[in-house]
Amino acid sequence: MSKEKTFFVTTPIYYINDVPHIGHAYATIAADILARYHREIGDETFFLAGLDENSQKTVLAAEKAGKEIGSYTDELAGLWQKTWEKLGITNDDFIRTTEDRHEKTVIEFFNKVEKNGDIYKGKYEGFYCVGHEAFVKRDDLDESGFCPDHKTKPEKLVEENYFFKLSKYQDQILELLEKNPKFIEPEERYHEVYNFVKGGLQDISITRSTQKWGIKAPSDPSHVIYVWFDALINYISAAPERWPADLHIIGKDILRFHAVIWPAMLLSAGYSLPKKIFAHGFFTINGTKISKSLGNAIDPIKITQDYGNDTLRYFLFKEFPFGNDGDFSFERLNEVYNSDLANGLGNLVSRVARLAESLDLSGVEPKEKSLLDSAFRIHLDKLEFQQALDYIWDKIHATDKSLEKTKPWELLESDREKASGIVENLIRQIIEIQELLLPFLPDTAQKIKEQYSCPKIQLQDPLFPRRT
Ligand code: MSP
């Protein structure tokens, strides 16, 4: 059970060289589920989302679109924000790294690290992959020198850069990991990071003298600060008074930045560390990696226009465990929509409402605050979204069974009192289900609440209409 009275959760801040796809929606919805859950149990919750704009990718994308960079970033930022709004994401703030509040915090942060003696000038020689926004090793490239993830040939750069003494923090990070085996989850990711740190940390270059777009290094404005050193600080710059975050939700692709570089930066600048980093898995589409060049990215809005927001939320977290890789297909989405939502939950709710209507039963008073049962809370506290959903669906099946067994419809004429007793009992079970559904299926939970709490319970529109 969570004893915390406050809860601060973050999503990755996404690059704006592209439009949002369901991969981005995945991490964002996960944070939204948790934020809604923590609000439901009465925690003072802060949910932060945002965009990573000071990247070289932004410059290239603006050029490609033939747009001036400022108007390109504003346009894309508007689109991302609109997408989250349409998906019903309840972030409390939205940070853009081009905002003044961010720049101010990055400069303060950089100055603190420098004052601590952790920044020095050096020469860097390496292959820079813009896709990764990082230097990659020759070994990570294929025989022809191409990055296997981005199918581009990283340039060999030789630059005078400022370096951050990451190596200095190796022992402290190892100690931190040893003392906090739950600092990184799932467990296999923890081991991955632990072994990586144990293998030795090298200093990293944190400025670029060949680029113009970004935040200027305070001590040498001919350099801009490396996009990751800048981007990670968003978690503080949005609301410095709330730091540290309880949880960073990220994908497994950006684990080292969050679990190694970020803690070292924080230790150097003298800030507290986040309490937990959870790296989720990646999903493919019909077995294929989501990629811009294949053009197979799916716009989450497209799904929700056909099926509603809740179907997307349910499917993404029901289909495979959070933390694992998985696959997305419209075929499975449709199957799950039919079996679990339209015919499962939807049918149960409307059958019981119809019975309540014929018995003229009055609505249920909405509760002030829900307490949610502890087995369910344990799953959510452990980010076991799939198990939490299974737990709710077990209750739905049990309620279905008890409806089938008690057959109240046969008693409507002969024993109205007994029928009312049975249906009232079913209503109580549905209300309990409604409370559990709230973080996962907020629109559906709201519809059930309205249907079951008006003066008289009435059959209303189906919970999960298909729009096409
Ligand atoms: N800008 C950096 C993050 C900086 S955080 C301080 C970045 N941005 S990104 O736009 O590339 O987004 C990466 C994140 O998007 C992943 O970590 C993951 O959460 C999500 N996903 C992108 N593709 C995905 C899948 N195919 N599957 C699941 N999630 C995916 O990296």
Side-chain angles (χ1 to χ4, degrees), residues 95-292:
I95 180 88
R96 297 177 55 189
T97 55
T98 43
E99 285 177 72
D100 288 345
R101 59 175 174 164
H102 178 69
E103 179 167 346
K104 181 174 150 270
T105 315
V106 170
I107 288 172
E108 270 170 29
F109 198 104
F110 194 96
N111 285 336
K112 284 181 183 161
V113 175
E114 190 155 53
K115 214 165 158 198
N116 200 25
D118 288 341
I119 294 181
Y120 64 92
K121 204 169 187 178
K123 199 160 130 196
Y124 203 95
E125 230 184 291
F127 294 95
Y128 195 79
C129 171
V130 179
H132 276 105
E133 279 289 10
F135 281 101
V136 288
K137 295 204 184 86
R138 180 65 188 86
D139 290 354
D140 296 333
L141 304 176
D142 68 16
E143 283 164 13
S144 331
F146 279 73
C147 164
D149 292 338
H150 297 100
K151 315 275 178 244
T152 50
K153 193 168 183 175
E155 280 175 78
K156 180 147 194 195
L157 292 182
V158 184
E159 273 187 36
E160 276 262 285
N161 285 333
Y162 288 91
F163 281 72
F164 169 56
K165 286 189 189 163
L166 182 61
S167 58
K168 176 173 155 189
Y169 292 94
Q170 176 170 339
D171 292 344
Q172 277 184 70
I173 292 176
L174 274 181
E175 196 186 321
L176 161 80
L177 293 175
E178 275 157 14
K179 283 200 183 133
N180 297 283
K182 296 207 169 295
F183 180 61
I184 301 164
E185 282 187 326
E187 208 184 324
E188 58 167 311
R189 303 279 166 230
Y190 169 89
H191 294 298
E192 195 182 298
V193 171
Y194 185 87
N195 292 334
F196 174 74
V197 180
K198 192 115 192 148
L201 294 181
Q202 285 171 6
D203 296 347
I204 53 163
S205 96
I206 54 159
T207 66
R208 300 281 176 271
S209 57
T210 46
Q211 289 168 19
K212 294 277 160 291
W213 176 246
I215 300 177
K216 289 190 171 49
S219 48
D220 183 349
S222 66
H223 286 241
V224 296
I225 298 176
Y226 170 45
V227 63
W228 273 100
F229 199 90
D230 148 347
L232 288 160
I233 299 171
N234 90 86
Y235 299 132
I236 296 181
S237 64
E241 71 288 357
R242 294 194 187 256
W243 185 258
D246 291 279
L247 176 65
H248 290 315
I249 291 191
I250 56 164
K252 63 178 185 178
D253 55 331
I254 54 177
L255 179 59
R256 283 185 195 170
F257 293 104
H258 283 82
V260 182
I261 299 179
W262 180 223
M265 286 167 62
L266 291 163
L267 288 168
S268 171
Y271 287 88
S272 327
L273 299 184
K275 308 225 176 83
K276 190 188 287 294
I277 297 163
F278 190 99
H280 67 74
F282 262 47
F283 50 82
T284 46
I285 298 192
N286 297 320
T288 314
K289 209 179 139 181
I290 305 179
S291 106
K292 216 178 166 182

Side-chain angles (χ1 to χ4, degrees), residues 65-84:
K67 296 207 166 122
E68 186 272 314
I69 194 147
S71 56
Y72 174 83
T73 51
D74 285 347
E75 191 184 307
L76 265 285
L79 189 142
W80 279 81
Q81 261 169 305
K82 255 253 126 52
T83 304
W84 295 159

Side-chain angles (χ1 to χ4, degrees), residues 48 60 71 109 121 134 286 337 410 446:
L48 177 65
L60 298 175
S71 56
F109 198 104
K121 204 169 187 178
N286 297 320
Y337 161 81
E410 288 180 356
Q446 180 61 24

